[in-house]
């Protein structure tokens, strides 16, 4: 992309929503063609490092539990949860991504409820779910991610678990380059200015937000959650795949993903 089409600048909430819904709708086919084989049709992959929920069980026992997947994309994780005895609901803002979720349901025979909605205004009653999760969905693509934390807190029952993965904040220091060019620090870790792709008129077409590790923990705790764990998946031996800026070269030197695990306190 041309250099003048990529910038770091503040973007208003309405422009963020419009840009990211449009981008995911437009890019859904290409995204699934490129990443679908890695993600699988009925699987829960937390990150480009290949960490799977089947192996780490960050959500705990999901059998019989109502689980909300935010930013579900093609909903492979929600379908996997259904095979584990959970009662999942898959939510995404993008109709394009939900179209792929519906196609995959028809292909696999594993069907879960699909909801098109904004993570900032979840269309569910208080304490409607036992567990909530997202793998790189919703959180990096909204201006006010603290508000998403509060919404998730609202729809979780007491004792409910909230687990989400995002690009590791330290990756924002570097360029999105999986090669040698991605090993040199060029940005301040403390610059929260969003990454913005824009058209020839300067209108945002894609926006991704940066928060520090401390920011994320404060958002979680500020919403009322009890912070349990921060998982930083290591690059596994034999994994030679490249996904955008994720690569074996970078993955063996510093983390690319941060997975936050939290819990809504149980009532006393």
């Amino acid at each position: 992309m041309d250099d003048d089409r990529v910038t770091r600048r503040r973007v208003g909430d309405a422009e963020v929503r419009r840009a990211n819904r449009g981008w995911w709708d437009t890019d859904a086919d290409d995204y699934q063609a490129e990443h679908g084989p890695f993600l699988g049709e009925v699987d829960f992959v937390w990150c480009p490092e290949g960490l799977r929920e089947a192996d780490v069980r960050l959500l705990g026992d999901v059998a019989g539990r109502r689980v909300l997947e935010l930013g579900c994309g093609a909903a492979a994780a929600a379908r996997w949860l259904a095979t584990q005895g959970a009662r999942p609901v898959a939510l995404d803002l993008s109709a394009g991504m939900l179209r792929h979720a519906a196609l995959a349901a028809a292909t696999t025979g594993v069907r879960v409820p699909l909801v098109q909605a904004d993570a900032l205004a979840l269309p569910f009653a208080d304490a409607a779910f036992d567990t909530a999760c997202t793998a790189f969905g919703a959180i990096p693509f909204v201006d006010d991610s603290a508000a998403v934390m509060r919404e998730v807190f609202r729809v979780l029952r007491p004792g409910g678990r909230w687990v989400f993965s995002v690009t590791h904040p330290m990756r924002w220091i570097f360029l999105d380059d999986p090669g040698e060019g991605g090993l040199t620090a060029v940005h301040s870790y403390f610059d929260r200015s969003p990454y913005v792709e824009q058209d020839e008129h300067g209108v945002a077409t894609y926006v991704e937000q940066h928060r520090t590790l401390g920011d994320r923990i404060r958002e979680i705790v500020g919403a009322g959650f009890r912070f349990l764990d921060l998982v930083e998946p290591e690059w596994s031996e034999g994994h030679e795949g490249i996904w955008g800026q994720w690569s074996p070269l970078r993955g063996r030197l510093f983390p690319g993903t941060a997975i936050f695990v939290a819990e809504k306190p149980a009532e006393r």
Side-chain angles (χ1 to χ4, degrees):
M1 180 171 288
D2 296 340
D3 290 344
D4 60 351
R5 298 285 186 91
V6 178
T7 186
R8 300 280 293 273
R9 66 174 174 86
R10 295 298 305 165
V11 185
D13 178 64
E15 189 176 3
V16 170
R17 295 188 195 207
R18 183 171 57 250
N20 285 335
R21 179 173 180 175
W23 190 88
W24 285 107
D25 282 347
T26 302
D27 194 64
D29 291 350
D30 290 341
Y31 182 88
Q32 284 303 119
E34 183 176 0
H35 301 302
F38 179 82
L39 295 172
E41 290 190 312
V42 184
D43 201 359
F44 195 144
V45 182
W46 278 109
C47 52
E49 288 86 352
L51 192 71
R52 284 174 161 75
E53 177 61 13
D55 299 320
V56 292
R57 300 289 178 175
L58 298 179
L59 301 182
D61 183 7
V62 297
R65 296 181 180 273
R66 283 181 54 81
V67 182
L68 174 62
E69 184 189 6
L70 295 176
C72 67
R79 286 189 295 278
W80 180 85
L81 288 165
T83 68
Q84 305 304 299
R87 296 180 291 149
V89 174
L91 177 146
D92 204 285
L93 181 64
S94 167
M97 295 304 294
L98 290 175
R99 175 170 51 82
H100 281 278
L103 290 171
T107 300
T108 63
V110 182
R111 300 181 182 277
V112 300
L114 303 176
V115 177
Q116 184 179 10
D118 193 322
L120 288 163
L122 297 175
F124 306 110
D126 295 357
F129 294 93
D130 300 296
T131 307
C133 60
T134 184
F136 282 79
I139 302 301
F141 304 109
V142 298
D143 181 59
D144 188 358
S145 48
V148 176
M149 305 293 172
R150 294 191 294 270
E151 272 292 89
V152 172
F153 186 89
R154 179 183 66 79
V155 302
L156 278 179
R157 65 164 180 80
R161 181 163 288 201
W162 166 224
V163 185
F164 65 93
S165 61
V166 294
T167 300
H168 197 290
M170 76 167 291
R171 283 288 176 106
W172 284 73
I173 301 171
F174 307 97
L175 298 176
D176 281 354
D177 183 340
E180 295 284 345
L183 300 181
T184 302
V186 296
H187 297 295
S188 168
Y189 175 76
F190 303 103
D191 180 3
R192 277 80 164 182
S193 301
Y195 168 88
V196 181
E197 295 178 8
Q198 56 193 17
D199 63 20
E200 65 273 20
H201 305 294
V203 177
T205 57
Y206 176 90
V207 182
E208 189 167 346
Q209 308 283 343
H210 167 52
R211 301 290 183 270
T212 68
L213 286 173
D215 292 339
R216 288 291 180 221
I217 292 172
R218 282 186 289 274
E219 288 180 349
I220 291 166
V221 174
F225 288 103
R226 185 165 66 95
F227 179 70
L228 300 179
D229 198 5
L230 169 62
V231 180
E232 299 167 296
E234 296 185 33
W235 199 267
S236 58
E237 290 297 325
H239 179 15
E240 298 301 322
I242 292 178
W243 177 324
Q245 48 109 338
W246 279 266
S247 66
L249 173 65
R250 280 155 58 97
R252 290 170 184 144
L253 294 174
F254 49 85
T257 297
I259 307 176
F260 297 84
V261 184
E263 183 178 76
K264 183 172 181 175
E267 293 178 340
R268 294 183 178 180

